[in-house]
Amino acid sequence: MDTQIFGIAVMYLLVVLLAIPLGRYIGKVFDYESTWLDKFFDPLDRLIFQLSGIDPRPAMSWQQSLVALLVINGWWLVISMLVLTTMGWMPLNPDGNPSMPFDLAFNTTISFVTNTNLQHYSGESALSYLGQMILMLWQFISAGTGMAIAAVVFKAMKEGLNPSLGNFYSLLVRSCTRILLPLAIVTATILAFEGVPMTFEGKGTMTTVQGETVAVSRGPAAAFVAIKQLGTNGGGFFGVNSSHPLENPTYLTNIVEDVGLFLIPIAMVFALGFMLKRRKLALTIFGVMTLGFLMLVVPAVLSELGGNPALSKLGVTQSVGSMEGKEVRLGPAASAYWAINTTVTSNGSVNAMHDSMTPLTVLTTLLGMMINCFYGGVGVGFLNFYIFIILAVFISGLMVGRTPELLGRKIEANEMKIAMGIALLHPFLILAGTALSSYLYAENPAELAGWLNNPGYHGFSELLYEFTSASANNGSGLEGLGDNTPFWNYATGLVMLLARYLPIIGPVAIAGQLAAKKYIPESEGTLRVDTGTFGILIFAVILIIASLSFFPALTLGPLAEYFSLYRS
Amino acid sequence: MATENTSLFQRDLVLEAGKQAFIKLNPARMYRNPVMFTVEIGTFIMLGVCLWILAGEQSQGTFGYNVLVFAVLLLTLLFANFAEGIAEARGKAQADSLRKTREETPARRVAAGDTLLSNNPTQISSSQLRKGDRFLCEAGDLIATDGEIVEGLATIDESAITGESAPVIREADGDKSSVTGGTKVLSDRILVEVTTQPGESFLDKMIALVEGASRQKTPNEIALTILLAGFTLVFILVTVTLKPFADFANTPITIAAFISLFVCLIPTTIGGLLSAIGIAGMDRALRANVITKSGRAVETAGDIDVLLLDKTGTITVGNRKATNFYPAPGVLDGRFREVLLLSSWSDNTPEGKSIVELAREQSAADSSGQEAPREAPVGMTFIKFTAQTRSSGVDMPDGNNGTTRIRKGASDAMRDMVEKSGHVFPGEMMDRVNEISGNGGTPLVVAVNEEVVGVIELQDIIKPGIRERFDRLRKMGVKTVMVTGDNPLTAKYIAGKAGVDDYIAEAKPEDKLEYIRREQQSGKLVAMMGDGTNDAPALAQADVGVAMNSGTQAAKEAGNMVDLDNDPTKLIEIVEIGKQLLMTRGTLTTFSIANDVAKYFAIVPALFIVAIPSLQGLNIMRLHSPESAILSAVIFNAIIIPILIPLALKGVSYKPIGASALLRQNLLKYGLGGIALPFLGIKIIDLLVSMVL
């Protein structure tokens, strides 16, 4: 087998093999079952709650959980703004980097608290180590927020009348300390041994082969990179993210980082199966997600391995595939594989230049973010998927002549209203944002010339990608876009904010309301949601809602580029 | 099939629906249906574009093309309105034929305090009768309006309503005291009290529902409308944002193309047929001779989890019959038969009659035995059955100035009586009682002067084919519960034999209510059928309560459906009608949304192909030109509505094959079919259109 393909097959297998026991462990953590790690973490959790003065015991309603989530996230936004706009004068700034202007701090703050990590800056020159560390804190707790709120939904889906939804604060702390922290320590240690810097010293110097001396940025990168990958954050320590030789130095670190990127999103699906004791349901969901993932990753990898036809026409042989914008140590297959991984999971870290990818890869990465639930971000990926389950249950219930019910609870007008609203939000934010920016650009081409490096279809893809990435809370960029301007900072900031919290509020409200409904035990007339047929229906609903609404936009971007490049 | 089709589109109904199609274009009516309302807005915009071109505008394509698009959109609206119109017209026609039976008939009203024997009634017209009025009916009279018999008894021909020619007996003070307007009195004389105001009978309510004046959307319909409105919003967004995208890419798009894209993408097929489906559901119920008080009830019927059925008449044929006599030790067969004959001499219940019948039969066969008496002994008094004693019998002089007391009754009641008087209930007879019960029979213990002389075995006859119907219900996920006054042993035996899932033995009306409440608390939906006043609370409590038309007014008020046929197995049909209603909506929604794939592949390349010729690769149907592609898509979109009207009216057929199998089947048929069919349809239309253009 082709070694490039073999490499990515190994990575996928490794992820699934690790995700099953991890899912079991996550299930135990959320169900408060004992694990051998308790003796380390029980005292740590107690300390956290003693310091914060919060009682982690009382069960909370879904409304209380949401209020807690929003209030605590609100405080993080304020703290982050303060740090980013003042860090120039604060300690831990050996390179003397300046504070951020307001608009960039606004964007960066929202970006990190919402688990997006869209970066309109380069870490080397725009952040002090204090800034990097506060962002790293958000990388932990924003991921923990997603997992904790998903745990609330899992609990709401349990059998019986009014199942307890647990205590949100406690779930949040457990997510951070018991799941993210140990995984991050292991990952960071491997990365540090492979050469990723872990230091508080400022720039080092290096003599190149030509004999010139250059200053090389470094810092506490290993810790940052580990949680960046594990928490589907994606914000790089350095500007070029995991294509930077100090952020992702070897093929081995690439495997570790790629596995880390995919691990928790998949493990969360298995955790659902363990917590609800519905292994088949988890497998159905996993099957649908995997089918979708394969539909995206196969064309992307093949397209990159096939090389660029424009170069072929010039007589350039591309034996390993399209190498533009890729790292030689990683190669096209591993880069395309990462590109799809990072877009389907709302991670957003990159190990190659997405702007240089072939049109099919751009198309599939965009689709990955537009659908945003083929595995999806930690916790929130399942919440997005949950909306599609609701819609699919509704349609299929009608098709078998029964008022639709999901796991024993009837889905009625109110749930449909919320589900449809949330399903609409993502296309709305992406299409409206892209429409606004393309309108502005088409009206003022001279003034806004700095926005786009590329004219035409690819330029349109860059606009579309930026809003898609923001709305998917992904954070990757097609780049080639001059995005550090007040327009892009505020517009994408706003999109990230709406796209983070509304799709959390919606599913939690649905699950909470359903949990309070009568529980109807299954009968022969009940439509089972853990069958292949139902899986296919969810898949069809996802494709039709999530991709059909983007079809015209994709036609003008990557599809037009594809047909121009390959078919003429 | 052919006859079905002709009845689906009768000439006068089509004409009426055609007229309605135009009347319903009124935007004030249209806005109730968000999907079709947006199509109407699009149609108006196209009308504006046509006028604009006449005024000299050059950039929007030819006048002919734009007029065509406008015409097809208008047609889409008319087709949708026609669908609703024909459903209404059919429902109305059905209701009218029922209403015809109760047009102006003369009525003989009597004064408030008058009795059955009143001889000075006032001759008035039925429309002048008000609630609370009383009127007299005699043999040969048509009953003027719905009411309840307050005095008397009559045989009545209800064939006008039920189609059943056998006359029925209706009498005051029972569970069969209701009479329906339009039915005919065949014998005797009754005094009827009017129970409804003119225009407020169940039938009138049903007609109003069908006509849409008071048709409320059902919860499920509301949820579906939200889904469809959501899809409409998505595609508004897609279409509106396409304008700046196209400007960015320097690809001008005509207004006709925008509107066509939008109309094709929004779920017009289901949007256009949605209300027709709902009306057709009620109409199907009416055709099954069930009057529903709301569309919601029909829909709920499809969701029923538990079905409460009375044993007698539903599961078993009519009444129990005596099948065996078991005399006590020391009592001769002949003597026992004589006692039985005496005990049942004046007992007119079906059981009593069957005892006499069997006793005579056995006497005739038994040559050695005594001749059965032919005349009633002198001085005999009949003791009626009461709920307290739970026995009946006769008292007669014994010739020694004493009285012989013959009693027959339920074993536990008789045992009480026997033991209270100091006698022993023979163990052998007790065994016999248990054996009979265990075999599903009903034992009747017979005693003379409080001494047991024997046991009668009564047996139920289970209706042929009932087991298969319960199997069918079980496959639908409906649990069947038999309600019976029998003792638990008998009930268990019959339940097992008939194949019901559960039973309520020795049931009192409160037990039914209690059972329904318990099931509802565990989240189930319960349906039941009843006729008596004491069923009313349970009928009201049940999610679907079907009252028999012959039942009391109280029962009819409490339930949410009235069965004109008084057929207890009707519930099964009602459940299927409800399921069909939901399924028709679901499958057409799926079909409608699945169509979008093909429509996208028709219209999107057509939008951009002039400016970006390489997008020809997306034109996988190889449609002739952008104009023909757009026209083909909107034409397909329009004509699919009338093509699906028969399906919407008749409903998707329901098969109890389990939910997952049903989903697979419908997904293949309407999902995959919904993706494939428009590719074919649009291509064919494009071939035709390109020949004309």
Side-chain angles (χ1 to χ4, degrees):
Chain A
M1 201 201 297
D2 188 308
T3 47
Q4 290 202 57
I5 304 275
F6 181 73
I8 58 181
V10 165
M11 281 193 270
Y12 188 75
L13 239 97
L14 204 56
V15 163
V16 176
L17 286 181
L18 289 172
I20 295 170
L22 180 62
R24 179 82 204 92
Y25 173 72
I26 292 175
K28 280 186 177 175
V29 168
F30 289 146
D31 273 342
Y32 294 81
E33 289 173 30
S34 58
T35 67
W36 62 273
L37 287 166
D38 284 349
K39 54 181 171 291
F40 304 105
F41 294 120
D42 282 348
L44 178 62
D45 285 6
R46 263 200 301 280
L47 181 71
I48 291 172
F49 285 113
Q50 259 164 18
L51 289 177
S52 61
I54 290 171
D55 181 359
R57 282 163 308 183
M60 293 162 88
S61 66
W62 64 267
Q63 294 97 328
Q64 286 170 325
S65 302
L66 280 179
V67 169
L69 183 150
L70 294 175
V71 169
I72 201 168
N73 274 258
W75 278 110
W76 297 343
L77 288 170
V78 172
I79 296 168
S80 181
M81 276 307 283
L82 284 176
V83 171
L84 292 182
T85 50
T86 58
M87 64 189 168
W89 322 304
M90 305 271 259
L92 287 178
N93 192 4
D95 295 335
N97 288 336
S99 301
M100 276 190 179
F102 187 85
D103 61 320
L104 183 59
F106 174 82
N107 189 281
T108 307
T109 287
I110 292 175
S111 174
F112 276 78
V113 172
T114 60
N115 198 251
T116 310
N117 298 19
L118 192 69
Q119 292 166 297
H120 288 174
Y121 63 90
S122 270
E124 298 93 323
S125 55
L127 286 172
S128 72
Y129 290 164
L130 180 70
Q132 294 277 27
M133 285 192 15
I134 196 89
L135 294 185
M136 187 168 81
L137 176 64
W138 307 147
Q139 291 190 326
F140 267 99
I141 56 188
S142 69
T145 300
M147 294 169 72
I149 202 68
V152 170
V153 172
F154 292 172
K155 283 170 179 285
M157 290 168 76
K158 288 193 174 190
E159 272 180 31
L161 185 68
N162 268 323
S164 163
L165 307 188
N167 181 292
F168 176 75
Y169 296 113
S170 170
L171 291 170
L172 172 61
V173 169
R174 287 174 87 86
S175 303
C176 294
T177 56
R178 285 163 205 246
I179 301 166
L180 292 169
L181 191 60
L183 286 173
I185 290 172
V186 173
T187 311
T189 311
I190 301 176
L191 293 179
F193 272 108
E194 281 293 301
V196 178
M198 188 64 204
T199 171
F200 283 100
E201 286 173 38
K203 286 190 176 82
T205 51
M206 183 183 95
T207 313
T208 66
V209 252
Q210 283 101 335
E212 291 164 41
T213 310
V214 289
V216 178
S217 293
R218 47 189 187 177
F224 196 97
V225 173
I227 188 61
K228 161 193 105 174
Q229 296 300 91
L230 288 164
T232 59
N233 292 291
F237 192 86
F238 303 111
V240 293
N241 214 300
S242 278
S243 48
H244 194 289
L246 290 185
E247 198 156 327
N248 186 10
T250 63
Y251 198 82
L252 176 66
T253 58
N254 193 62
I255 291 179
V256 171
E257 289 182 19
D258 208 335
V259 166
L261 181 168
F262 236 27
L263 188 56
I264 298 180
I266 295 181
M268 284 301 277
V269 178
F270 294 129
L272 167 85
F274 289 119
M275 284 175 73
L276 299 185
K277 300 188 179 62
R278 287 178 184 271
R279 189 186 298 239
K280 237 188 125 198
L281 176 66
L283 284 178
T284 305
I285 295 174
F286 176 72
V288 172
M289 291 175 163
T290 304
L291 182 65
F293 168 67
L294 287 176
M295 269 184 56
L296 298 175
V297 81
V298 171
V301 169
L302 292 182
S303 179
E304 293 309 315
L305 285 176
N308 185 337
L311 285 177
S312 304
K313 266 182 208 154
L314 297 177
V316 180
T317 46
Q318 304 169 74
S319 54
V320 290
S322 169
M323 279 304 292
E324 183 196 318
K326 299 194 178 63
E327 297 297 303
V328 177
R329 66 184 183 283
L330 307 176
S335 302
Y337 180 70
W338 180 304
I340 298 301
N341 286 359
T342 197
T343 44
V344 293
T345 56
S346 106
N347 185 302
S349 64
V350 294
N351 71 353
M353 185 64 160
H354 282 199
D355 206 26
S356 300
M357 296 280 186
T358 55
L360 272 187
T361 311
V362 174
L363 176 76
T364 45
T365 51
L366 275 168
L367 276 173
M369 293 187 285
M370 286 162 173
I371 292 164
N372 207 22
C373 68
F374 288 153
Y375 308 124
V378 285
V380 290
F382 176 76
L383 298 193
N384 291 337
F385 196 87
Y386 184 75
I387 293 290
F388 293 118
I389 295 181
I390 298 281
L391 296 178
V393 161
F394 183 77
I395 292 174
S396 59
L398 288 184
M399 278 213 282
V400 299
R402 204 177 155 86
T403 295
E405 56 199 53
L406 172 64
L407 303 182
R409 280 126 180 157
K410 283 204 153 67
I411 291 176
E412 288 161 304
N414 202 19
E415 288 79 42
M416 283 306 290
K417 230 181 266 176
I418 302 173
M420 211 57 222
I422 299 302
L424 270 172
L425 179 76
H426 195 46
F428 172 77
L429 292 176
I430 295 173
L431 291 177
T434 312
L436 179 65
S437 56
S438 47
Y439 168 79
L440 290 176
Y441 188 83
E443 288 294 299
N444 316 295
E447 238 173 279
L448 302 179
W451 275 14
L452 298 175
N453 283 350
N454 299 280
Y457 317 133
H458 198 77
F460 182 74
S461 295
E462 286 170 356
L463 300 178
L464 181 63
Y465 195 105
E466 185 72 5
F467 276 105
T468 307
S469 173
S471 184
N473 283 167
N474 181 281
S476 66
L478 206 48
E479 302 309 332
L481 181 74
D483 51 18
N484 187 13
T485 67
F487 171 82
W488 287 103
N489 283 336
Y490 288 124
T492 54
L494 206 61
V495 167
M496 287 186 280
L497 208 54
L498 293 172
R500 168 71 169 181
Y501 296 105
L502 293 179
I504 285 179
I505 295 171
V508 172
I510 294 177
Q513 288 179 3
L514 286 182
K517 286 190 183 185
K518 278 182 194 158
Y519 182 80
I520 313 153
E522 278 175 20
S523 75
E524 283 204 47
T526 312
L527 182 75
R528 300 189 62 89
V529 291
D530 53 5
T531 62
T533 313
F534 188 75
I536 289 169
L537 185 69
I538 302 181
F539 190 73
V541 167
I542 291 175
L543 278 198
I544 286 188
I545 293 184
S547 52
L548 278 195
S549 42
F550 298 110
F551 190 55
L554 291 173
T555 306
L556 285 175
L559 279 175
E561 199 179 343
Y562 170 80
F563 283 109
S564 315
L565 194 59
Y566 286 77
R567 297 289 181 92
S568 54
Chain B
M1 240 10 229
T3 52
E4 269 277 47
N5 277 333
T6 46
S7 73
L8 219 50
F9 295 109
Q10 279 165 20
R11 197 182 139 76
D12 47 339
L13 298 187
V14 170
L15 285 178
E16 170 60 22
K19 200 173 86 187
Q20 284 297 322
F22 285 92
I23 295 172
K24 285 170 191 286
L25 282 177
N26 181 356
R29 280 177 162 221
M30 213 65 183
Y31 93 104
R32 270 173 58 115
N33 182 339
V35 177
M36 296 318 286
F37 185 60
T38 52
V39 177
E40 184 158 48
I41 294 175
T43 313
F44 279 126
I45 295 176
M46 278 317 294
L47 182 64
V49 171
C50 291
L51 298 175
W52 193 25
I53 293 171
L54 283 183
E57 170 63 29
Q58 298 289 326
S59 66
Q60 295 296 329
T62 65
F63 178 71
Y65 163 68
N66 279 282
V67 165
L68 265 177
V69 172
F70 164 73
V72 176
L73 294 187
L74 185 63
L75 217 53
T76 312
L77 287 172
L78 290 174
F79 284 152
N81 287 345
F82 178 80
E84 189 178 300
I86 192 105
E88 285 176 1
R90 271 161 57 85
K92 251 191 282 184
Q94 183 74 19
D96 279 346
S97 69
L98 282 175
R99 187 149 58 172
K100 238 176 236 153
T101 57
R102 55 183 61 202
E103 272 168 0
E104 295 302 282
T105 38
R108 286 180 292 158
R109 188 172 63 189
V110 297
D114 275 3
T115 65
L116 189 60
L117 302 170
S118 160
N119 48 13
N120 57 343
T122 351
Q123 195 83 19
I124 57 164
S125 157
S126 60
S127 58
Q128 288 169 282
L129 285 170
R130 291 292 172 271
K131 193 172 172 176
D133 283 354
R134 292 178 170 199
F135 59 94
L136 281 173
C137 286
E138 273 181 339
D141 285 355
L142 276 181
I143 295 173
T145 182
D146 291 2
E148 198 156 13
I149 303 175
V150 285
E151 226 185 315
L153 167 154
T155 46
I156 294 173
D157 172 12
E158 292 193 338
S159 59
I161 300 286
T162 62
E164 178 63 53
S165 55
V168 293
I169 294 177
R170 298 281 176 261
E171 61 184 319
D173 301 327
D175 285 344
K176 298 196 182 303
S177 60
S178 266
V179 290
T180 314
T183 54
K184 194 172 185 179
V185 180
L186 294 180
S187 74
D188 302 289
R189 185 178 165 101
I190 45 173
L191 181 63
V192 180
E193 183 170 303
V194 180
T195 48
T196 51
Q197 290 290 15
E200 282 179 15
S201 70
F202 297 128
L203 202 55
D204 291 312
K205 281 183 201 159
M206 174 112 186
I207 291 167
L209 278 178
V210 168
E211 283 173 346
S214 64
R215 208 174 81 83
Q216 294 279 316
K217 280 191 178 147
T218 61
N220 212 285
E221 220 176 337
I222 293 172
L224 183 57
T225 309
I226 291 168
L227 181 84
L228 298 181
F231 273 110
T232 309
L233 274 175
V234 170
F235 292 121
I236 288 179
L237 191 66
V238 168
T239 318
V240 170
T241 54
L242 194 55
K243 171 75 180 142
F245 295 172
D247 288 349
F248 180 91
N250 289 318
T251 46
I253 298 177
T254 61
I255 293 174
F258 271 120
I259 304 272
S260 303
L261 174 70
F262 172 69
V263 169
C264 282
L265 291 181
I266 60 172
T268 47
T269 313
I270 180 68
L273 294 172
L274 191 56
S275 52
I277 295 169
I279 297 167
M282 283 196 286
D283 181 45
R284 275 199 300 280
L286 192 56
R287 269 158 215 275
N289 258 342
V290 175
I291 294 181
T292 48
K293 294 198 209 160
S294 69
R296 187 183 184 143
V298 181
E299 204 171 78
T300 313
D303 274 347
I304 288 302
D305 303 289
V306 180
L307 203 53
L308 257 58
L309 296 161
D310 277 328
K311 186 196 78 179
T312 309
T314 312
I315 296 167
T316 59
V317 183
N319 299 293
R320 290 170 296 200
K321 281 189 168 165
T323 51
N324 267 313
F325 299 142
Y326 301 101
V331 179
L332 291 173
D333 280 4
R335 166 64 187 152
F336 186 44
R337 280 201 294 273
E338 190 189 336
V339 170
L340 291 178
L341 273 174
L342 292 171
S343 77
S344 304
W345 201 278
S346 309
D347 183 356
N348 279 326
T349 61
E351 288 92 346
K353 283 180 187 158
S354 78
I355 292 170
V356 173
E357 216 169 274
L358 185 67
R360 288 201 191 287
E361 231 170 74
Q362 287 191 356
S363 299
D366 186 358
S367 52
S368 66
Q370 279 170 261
E371 176 74 6
R374 288 281 163 199
E375 280 168 32
V378 191
M380 193 174 80
T381 33
F382 180 58
I383 311 294
K384 257 192 158 179
F385 177 90
T386 67
Q388 282 76 40
T389 61
R390 293 176 57 217
S391 63
S392 67
V394 289
D395 282 357
M396 53 196 277
D398 62 356
N400 299 328
N401 292 330
T403 317
T404 305
R405 295 174 298 279
I406 303 179
R407 294 288 183 277
K408 64 172 197 290
S411 58
D412 52 335
M414 293 299 286
R415 188 188 182 135
D416 271 2
M417 188 174 92
V418 168
E419 286 173 353
K420 243 181 229 159
S421 65
H423 295 284
V424 182
F425 197 99
E428 200 173 319
M429 285 292 100
M430 203 60 228
D431 293 345
R432 187 65 79 183
V433 163
N434 289 335
E435 187 193 321
I436 294 170
S437 298
N439 288 335
T442 309
L444 280 185
V445 176
V446 186
V448 176
N449 291 339
E450 288 81 42
E451 266 189 277
V452 177
V453 293
V455 178
I456 306 168
E457 178 173 5
L458 297 173
Q459 278 287 2
D460 274 302
I461 317 282
I462 289 169
K463 275 193 178 176
I466 199 79
R467 209 189 162 88
E468 288 69 40
R469 302 200 85 168
F470 291 144
D471 282 346
R472 192 176 162 92
L473 280 167
R474 197 167 305 113
K475 282 193 194 125
M476 290 181 195
V478 180
K479 172 178 156 191
T480 45
V481 181
M482 180 179 84
V483 183
T484 171
D486 294 339
N487 66 57
L489 266 174
T490 313
K492 188 178 175 193
Y493 180 83
I494 297 175
K497 218 167 153 194
V500 293
D501 302 306
D502 196 5
Y503 58 89
I504 313 175
E506 288 169 354
K508 296 181 288 292
E510 311 88 82
D511 295 338
K512 279 194 207 179
L513 187 63
E514 186 47 41
Y515 193 93
I516 293 173
R517 286 218 176 110
R518 216 171 39 238
E519 289 286 346
Q520 285 174 335
Q521 256 153 26
S522 64
K524 307 255 178 69
L525 291 178
V526 186
M528 74 162 279
M529 200 149 187
D531 54 4
T533 300
N534 50 22
D535 282 334
L539 279 171
Q541 180 70 36
D543 300 282
V544 174
V546 184
M548 306 222 198
N549 196 39
S550 60
T552 60
Q553 188 65 23
K556 288 201 252 181
E557 292 285 351
N560 39 23
M561 293 186 192
V562 179
D563 176 26
L564 297 175
D565 291 339
N566 309 317
D567 172 9
T569 56
K570 192 61 76 60
L571 269 173
I572 299 171
E573 243 169 280
I574 296 173
V575 170
E576 293 199 353
I577 290 172
K579 287 207 179 284
Q580 269 194 328
L581 176 63
L582 290 181
M583 276 173 53
T584 311
R585 282 199 200 122
T587 50
L588 289 183
T589 303
T590 308
F591 182 83
S592 191
I593 295 169
N595 278 349
D596 276 2
V597 177
K599 291 174 191 167
Y600 254 130
F601 278 101
I603 297 187
V604 169
L607 294 177
F608 306 126
I609 225 155
V610 176
I612 313 169
S614 59
L615 279 181
Q616 186 63 35
L618 265 187
N619 182 10
I620 53 177
M621 279 182 272
R622 299 276 162 250
L623 301 180
H624 179 255
S625 68
E627 282 80 13
S628 77
I630 286 171
L631 271 176
S632 308
V634 285
I635 290 173
F636 178 83
N637 194 52
I639 61 169
I640 197 72
I641 295 177
I643 289 176
L644 290 175
I645 288 179
L647 185 67
L649 294 188
K650 281 195 283 189
V652 173
S653 62
Y654 175 77
K655 290 189 211 90
I657 50 174
S660 289
L662 200 58
L663 178 64
R664 204 173 313 129
Q665 196 181 48
N666 285 336
L667 210 52
L668 268 179
K669 204 161 155 190
Y670 298 95
L672 213 55
I675 292 177
L677 183 72
F679 276 106
L680 193 69
I682 291 174
K683 179 69 191 171
I684 292 171
I685 297 170
D686 180 71
L687 287 176
L688 297 175
V689 167
S690 55
M691 277 194 283
V692 178
L693 277 185

